[in-house]
Amino acid sequence: MTENRFDSARADARWQAAWADAGTFTADSHAAKPKSYILEMFPYPSGRIHMGHVRNYTMGDVLARYRRMRGDEVLHPMGWDAFGMPAENAAMEKGVHPGEWTRANIAQMKAQLKRIGFALDWTREFATCDPEYYGHEQALFLDLYEAGLVYRRSSSVNWDPVDMTVLANEQVIDGKGWRSGAEVEKRELDQWFLKITDFAEDLLAGLDDLEDWPDKVKLMQENWIGKSQGLEFSFELSDGAKLPVYTTRPDTIFGASFVAVAADHPVAQGLSDDPQVAAFIEECKRGATTAAALETAEKLGYRTAITARHPFTGQALPLFIANFVLMDYGTGAVMGVPGHDQRDFEFATKYKLPIARVVAPDPSKADAPFEGEAESGDGVIVNSDFLDGMSVEEAKAEVIARAENAGWGEGTTVWRLRDWGVSRQRYWGTPIPIIHCDACGIVPVPKDQLPVKLPEDVDFETPGNPLERHPTWKHVDCPCCGKPARRETDTLDTFVDSSWYFLRFASQPDDRPFDPEEIAKWLPVQHYIGGIEHAILHLLYARFWTRALAHIGKLSVKEPFAALFTQGMVTHETYALGDGSWLSPDEVKRNGEDYVHIESGQPVTAGRVVKMSKSKKNVVDPDRIIEQYGADAVRWFMLSDSPPERDLPWSDSGIEGCGRFVQRLWRLFGQFDPSATGEDKALLRKAHQAIVAVAEDIEALSFNKAVARIYELTGATEKAAPSESRNFAIRTILHLAAPMMPHLAEEAWAAMGGEGLIADAPWPEHDPACLVEDEVTIAVQHKGKLRDTLTAPKGASKEDLEALALASEKVQRSLDGADIRKVIVVPDRLVNIVT
RNA sequence: GCGGGUGUGGCGGAAUGGUAGACGCCGGGGACUUAAAAUCCCCUGAUCUUUGAUCGUGCGGGUUCGAGUCCCGCCACCCGCACCA
């Protein structure tokens, strides 16, 4: 009696061991083959692999296995983004050392990944918390420091009062910390910065070359970098001072009716002895923090006694302190042109300031009134002296030219992008390799003393930075003068760790961070796959870091990721009890149309389908599913149905279907019959068509379509009678499905007596001659509707097709004797009869 | 507010301007079985006067012999940014 069920538990383990023993997926930098670097964003070792990881890594895995079948030497590595706050939180909550906690999580998650059978090169695995890794990172930091791309300054920072740490602008969402969700405060601290702004222009221009990045991501980066061009010029103030302002609309300068500065602008601060001014400044600080408040915030101003002299008309414009002017953009001061800027319009309306028109649709409408809002669109300049009649663009250039000639202003570019603050007042991160000496100032740690290792004996009893409190760690002798000095106790933002890990995967010498020549063999990454949530932060930093290293001659590549793919999330229905508490899918059962709580029998409300998250309890544990259905069924599910960029709704019946299909294929593979003879031309054609189509689909990352093709070919093959062609079709399915269901494929390959591992077998060749159809189905339309379908020989003439169509009984009935005005024939496709 | 995306059966989704709904899931019917599981077969957009016809891809127009697809104007939802001068 033959076993006719595929035993996934046995097969999964067997083939995972076989790949590991053979070193199948170990990448060889010296191989003569073409190289493919397939990379998925490495995970934070939070404790367990979740379905989102499984989906992400399955996509990369299919690509990696496919590229191997296509003859490439593939680098498909995995590692751990291992520094970060959760480890410290665990330390505080459970009294376990962050390193210990992290290592245990890594061990667990690695075992989980292995059970899914990913084609990973584990020989290159590392964690960013390995001293070897962060030691090299410290060396790179010092390289950038020497190149002048790192600096320290006191600055107002975003302080997260819950996590007790500094956040980058990018980590503040709606005025709240991205992790803790706590309201962010402002604090003055000495901080380390990376000069990402030096590369603003280049980072922006580089986006144009990233053809295989989603437009959405490029646009988000473009907006984040925020280039704007305009005029910076100074107003002479009535108190004799000069006030620099920045405007992108110098063409509207004759429409200026006031000048405004930010509440924290020096001019405003200079007036703060006046209690009214001080009170207004306080009010501004209180108001504008959250997005919700900003949306409805009224434009508020305080009119000072100072006036500003208009550079052309000499008119005295009132100077306001205004709540809508931002200190950290441009110069922190603006000229107010109410007619052509909505904020200025609202402000002028409230404070009864003149609203002049200086741009009009055409010169005859120079005095047209405004209809309740500013007009920021294009037009012709009016009421503006020498600018009258010019276009907006001409006028901009003219004003800039005159300002530059007269010396009171110049054309400038202003960026939204800020330098990257990398200091974190945290223990579990890469120590910044700097020593502070009272005599010598800031002294880099000599490279031969790297890595600066984190001390192991730390306590997490009190919030804040344990490095600061450590009894000995920060006390060192100055490398310059030998006198007692202090170590920097800040650690690096973990985004630094993930800004170069892809380089270390490609090349990992002991004595330096990487070898540029070896990097050049693999980079840029051919497919980089991860979540859209990294569209700005990680991806911009990685692009910057790579550029910065290229800039100082450490690298020859500038763009790390040739193609980016942002995959959708794995979602699941949510379940809630009447009191609003969430239930996990295990806790509910279906009762007809409704759900009930298994334990209490209470009715359960099925809610929206949203991203799986612990807080909503709508998670499904991959391990449990693998145990039940095997790795291949889970992998297949991750690839089926939803296009990869969209969300994938998890369903129990879906995974059951995948489990059934694994068994169905296993039965079909068992029908491979070496003694069968004869040709089945139609099936042969379908098999060859599938070879072409599945390859195209995989290359386009349309895994859902590749899956559908395999289903189709499977269905056709099952129905076909035994023949040599059928054997070919069976073998074809085996190869096409191998990147997606590798364990089943190996097991069947071995059972069929295939040589070696199917993981090493090439992608099947298609025969173009077999693709050609000899018969085609022709649609016949009349009055724009389908009336009949006919079978005709491929390549039949227009005349023949027309005659065939008119001979159809159904067509004749539809025509009902009407006069035929025109017949349109598309060869091999359709006949459309117009009456 | 600005920018981007999406909208197709009960559900996930297919469809170079050329047979809308491939493929999967759910559902219905049947076969096999003492019974069940498993498996296999058939049906499965809506409506109607059901050998057939009409309607149907968010809504309203348009181009075309022919529109899910192209153009114009809306609507809804999702995502990103947000007082950026």
Side-chain angles (χ1 to χ4, degrees):
Chain A
M1 175 95 190
T2 52
E3 174 59 72
N4 68 347
R5 277 191 71 77
F6 174 65
D7 181 352
S8 59
R10 238 178 54 200
D12 288 1
R14 177 181 174 192
W15 297 108
Q16 284 158 19
W19 299 322
D21 291 347
T24 305
F25 305 117
T26 305
D28 179 5
S29 298
H30 305 291
K33 298 189 244 177
K35 305 227 169 25
S36 283
Y37 187 177
I38 313 288
L39 184 66
E40 300 98 53
M41 293 177 186
F42 67 163
Y44 177 78
S46 57
R48 294 193 67 77
I49 291 293
H50 54 71
M51 280 297 175
H53 292 126
V54 178
R55 190 176 189 207
N56 190 176
Y57 303 147
T58 300
M59 289 180 194
D61 202 60
V62 171
L63 288 172
R65 287 175 180 270
Y66 172 77
R67 292 286 5 141
R68 268 179 56 80
M69 290 176 86
R70 284 292 190 168
D72 288 1
E73 185 67 21
V74 171
L75 173 56
H76 186 217
M78 184 53 70
W80 311 94
D81 188 14
F83 275 135
M85 292 282 308
E88 284 189 57
N89 292 340
M92 286 183 268
E93 284 158 26
K94 298 169 197 156
V96 57
H97 189 275
E100 214 176 287
W101 182 84
T102 303
R103 293 286 166 200
N105 288 347
I106 288 174
Q108 172 155 259
M109 291 170 78
K110 183 176 177 179
Q112 285 185 290
L113 291 181
K114 290 205 161 192
R115 282 198 286 277
I116 311 170
F118 291 133
L120 292 164
D121 180 355
W122 287 105
T123 66
R124 293 171 188 249
E125 176 197 9
F126 60 80
T128 55
C129 64
D130 296 342
E132 297 76 37
Y133 182 81
Y134 70 70
H136 292 306
E137 184 168 304
Q138 289 166 338
L140 292 173
F141 180 86
L142 293 177
D143 290 337
L144 296 181
Y145 178 76
E146 279 154 31
L149 292 171
V150 177
Y151 65 99
R152 183 175 165 83
R153 70 172 153 90
S154 167
S155 76
S156 163
V157 294
N158 305 305
W159 178 259
D160 186 319
V162 169
D163 284 346
M164 304 263 294
T165 188
V166 168
L167 301 173
N169 282 339
E170 294 90 322
Q171 292 166 338
V172 180
I173 296 148
D174 288 350
K176 296 188 172 68
W178 72 301
R179 262 201 81 257
S180 70
E183 205 77 23
V184 170
E185 298 168 4
K186 294 280 176 199
R187 278 212 185 174
E188 286 290 324
L189 283 178
D190 276 337
Q191 300 287 309
W192 289 99
F193 285 86
L194 296 185
K195 273 192 154 175
I196 191 171
T197 54
D198 274 13
F199 295 83
E201 187 78 69
D202 198 35
L203 285 166
L204 182 66
L207 292 172
D208 288 340
D209 302 327
L210 296 174
E211 285 172 25
D212 294 320
W213 277 44
D215 289 339
K216 182 189 169 109
V217 173
K218 287 192 278 188
L219 203 66
M220 283 164 75
Q221 293 213 351
E222 191 181 318
N223 292 339
W224 192 264
I225 295 167
K227 182 180 185 175
S228 92
Q229 281 170 308
L231 170 70
E232 187 176 327
F233 70 98
S234 289
F235 280 109
E236 280 176 32
L237 299 184
S238 54
D239 64 0
K242 282 193 190 293
L243 176 68
V245 300
Y246 170 74
T247 178
T248 55
R249 293 296 301 272
D251 54 303
T252 63
I253 194 163
F254 284 92
S257 59
F258 66 95
V259 175
V261 298
D264 37 359
H265 192 280
V267 169
Q269 295 297 327
L271 296 171
S272 62
D273 288 345
D274 181 338
Q276 273 187 294
V277 173
F280 182 75
I281 290 172
E282 264 316 297
E283 195 184 341
C284 289
K285 276 191 183 158
R286 254 181 296 122
T289 44
T290 68
L294 279 175
E295 201 167 339
T296 51
E298 202 181 352
K299 305 284 177 284
L300 294 176
Y302 178 88
R303 187 170 186 151
T304 69
I306 301 171
T307 59
R309 187 177 180 279
H310 191 287
F312 287 119
T313 66
Q315 200 187 348
L317 305 174
L319 177 76
F320 283 81
I321 302 166
N323 68 342
F324 69 92
V325 181
L326 305 174
M327 190 57 221
D328 56 2
Y329 184 78
T331 61
V334 299
M335 68 169 191
V337 184
H340 306 286
D341 180 284
Q342 185 56 26
R343 291 156 303 176
D344 297 349
F345 187 94
E346 287 169 32
F347 191 79
T349 306
K350 183 169 169 70
Y351 293 99
K352 309 228 166 8
L353 298 162
I355 301 175
R357 174 180 289 281
V358 290
V359 181
D362 63 75
S364 71
K365 302 207 173 76
D367 298 315
F370 291 97
E371 286 169 10
E373 58 181 21
E375 292 177 19
S376 53
D378 207 357
V380 59
I381 306 295
V382 294
N383 304 323
S384 298
D385 196 354
F386 55 87
L387 296 178
D388 283 356
M390 287 187 191
S391 71
V392 165
E393 284 312 308
E394 287 164 352
K396 279 181 184 174
E398 178 63 23
V399 172
I400 290 171
R402 289 200 183 213
E404 287 178 349
N405 284 338
W408 51 265
E410 61 177 349
T412 51
T413 302
V414 167
W415 304 87
R416 202 189 96 111
L417 185 68
R418 299 278 97 107
D419 273 337
W420 176 14
V422 293
S423 284
R424 295 293 179 273
Q425 290 66 45
R426 282 281 134 199
Y427 165 74
W428 195 233
T430 300
I432 294 177
I434 292 288
I435 289 164
H436 299 280
C437 172
D438 288 335
C440 312
I442 287 169
V443 183
V445 174
K447 282 204 179 163
D448 59 9
Q449 290 175 26
L450 297 181
V452 175
K453 282 194 194 176
L454 287 168
E456 288 289 318
D457 51 334
V458 280
D459 83 87
F460 293 90
E461 297 304 305
T462 35
N465 185 355
L467 292 177
E468 193 65 46
R469 296 192 303 265
H470 192 276
T472 56
W473 186 78
K474 71 174 175 181
H475 302 294
V476 284
D477 293 337
C478 172
C480 274
C481 66
K483 286 185 205 143
R486 284 162 294 111
R487 259 189 212 296
E488 173 64 63
T489 55
D490 285 354
T491 51
L492 288 171
D493 181 1
T494 57
F495 278 107
V496 176
D497 307 333
S498 54
S499 289
W500 73 285
Y501 77 105
F502 44 89
L503 301 175
R504 185 72 186 167
F505 274 146
S507 166
Q508 32 193 255
D510 290 336
D511 58 340
R512 58 221 142 111
F514 49 79
D515 172 43
E517 281 178 35
E518 207 178 356
I519 295 283
K521 290 181 181 174
W522 294 108
L523 273 273
V525 172
Q526 194 180 5
H527 285 288
Y528 193 38
I529 310 176
I532 185 75
E533 68 272 20
H534 293 110
I536 298 172
L537 307 187
H538 162 58
L539 289 167
L540 190 62
Y541 292 151
R543 293 183 63 223
F544 155 65
W545 195 266
T546 310
R547 273 180 164 67
L549 294 178
H551 177 74
I552 62 174
K554 297 267 169 193
L555 266 184
S556 54
V557 283
K558 233 166 65 160
E559 285 291 350
F561 315 120
L564 172 72
F565 189 84
T566 54
Q567 102 273 5
M569 298 174 297
V570 182
T571 59
H572 196 291
E573 210 170 30
T574 47
Y575 308 103
L577 280 173
D579 63 0
S581 62
W582 300 108
L583 294 174
S584 78
D586 305 336
E587 295 174 294
V588 300
K589 70 172 180 202
R590 225 197 173 99
N591 188 2
E593 292 281 286
D594 306 314
Y595 292 96
V596 291
H597 187 199
I598 295 171
E599 208 182 289
S600 68
Q602 286 182 59
V604 170
T605 319
R608 285 177 47 164
V609 179
V610 296
K611 180 184 180 177
M612 286 187 180
S613 73
K614 277 184 197 159
S615 62
K616 298 243 165 76
K617 285 196 173 179
N618 61 338
V619 290
V620 173
D621 181 40
D623 266 9
R624 216 198 66 214
I625 302 295
I626 290 167
E627 207 176 300
Q628 200 173 346
Y629 298 97
D632 289 338
V634 179
R635 295 170 60 109
W636 190 250
F637 184 93
M638 292 292 125
L639 301 165
S640 303
D641 296 348
S642 288
E645 68 278 7
R646 287 206 216 165
D647 289 350
L648 173 68
W650 177 267
S651 77
D652 292 338
S653 52
I655 185 68
E656 279 165 26
C658 293
R660 277 200 299 271
F661 186 63
V662 169
Q663 298 300 338
R664 198 174 138 197
L665 277 186
W666 179 244
R667 286 192 300 274
L668 180 64
F669 293 150
Q671 292 168 17
F672 184 84
D673 177 7
S675 67
T677 54
E679 194 184 50
D680 180 339
K681 230 178 153 185
L683 184 63
L684 205 55
R685 184 167 60 240
K686 285 191 173 118
H688 284 280
Q689 285 172 337
I691 293 171
V692 176
V694 172
E696 280 173 4
D697 290 338
I698 290 177
E699 281 168 30
L701 277 63
S702 299
F703 305 112
N704 56 321
K705 289 196 243 170
V707 162
R709 303 272 189 194
I710 292 172
Y711 272 117
E712 266 182 281
L713 181 57
T714 301
T717 307
E718 283 169 336
K719 287 186 180 71
S723 67
E724 232 180 300
S725 304
R726 190 170 190 264
N727 285 342
F728 176 80
I730 290 174
R731 242 196 345 252
T732 299
I733 294 168
L734 180 57
H735 281 95
L736 301 189
M740 309 176 191
M741 301 202 252
H743 309 89
L744 173 71
E746 293 288 4
E747 192 76 16
W749 183 247
M752 283 181 203
E755 220 174 289
L757 293 165
I758 197 168
D760 291 323
W763 189 255
E765 297 274 343
H766 77 276
D767 179 355
C770 289
L771 295 177
V772 183
E773 319 233 5
D774 37 18
E775 277 188 338
V776 288
T777 307
I778 305 289
V780 186
Q781 296 180 331
H782 172 227
K783 288 197 230 168
K785 289 195 173 53
L786 182 72
R787 302 298 165 177
D788 199 4
T789 53
L790 318 163
T791 304
K794 188 177 168 72
S797 72
K798 287 192 173 193
E799 292 73 22
D800 289 352
L801 287 175
E802 183 175 338
L804 211 56
L806 290 173
S808 154
E809 196 186 314
K810 288 178 181 172
V811 172
Q812 280 303 330
R813 207 185 311 144
S814 174
L815 284 172
D816 196 24
D819 287 341
I820 296 172
R821 290 217 317 260
K822 200 170 166 188
V823 177
I824 287 147
V825 181
V826 181
D828 295 338
R829 262 202 195 275
L830 63 71
V831 178
N832 191 358
I833 302 161
V834 186
T835 53

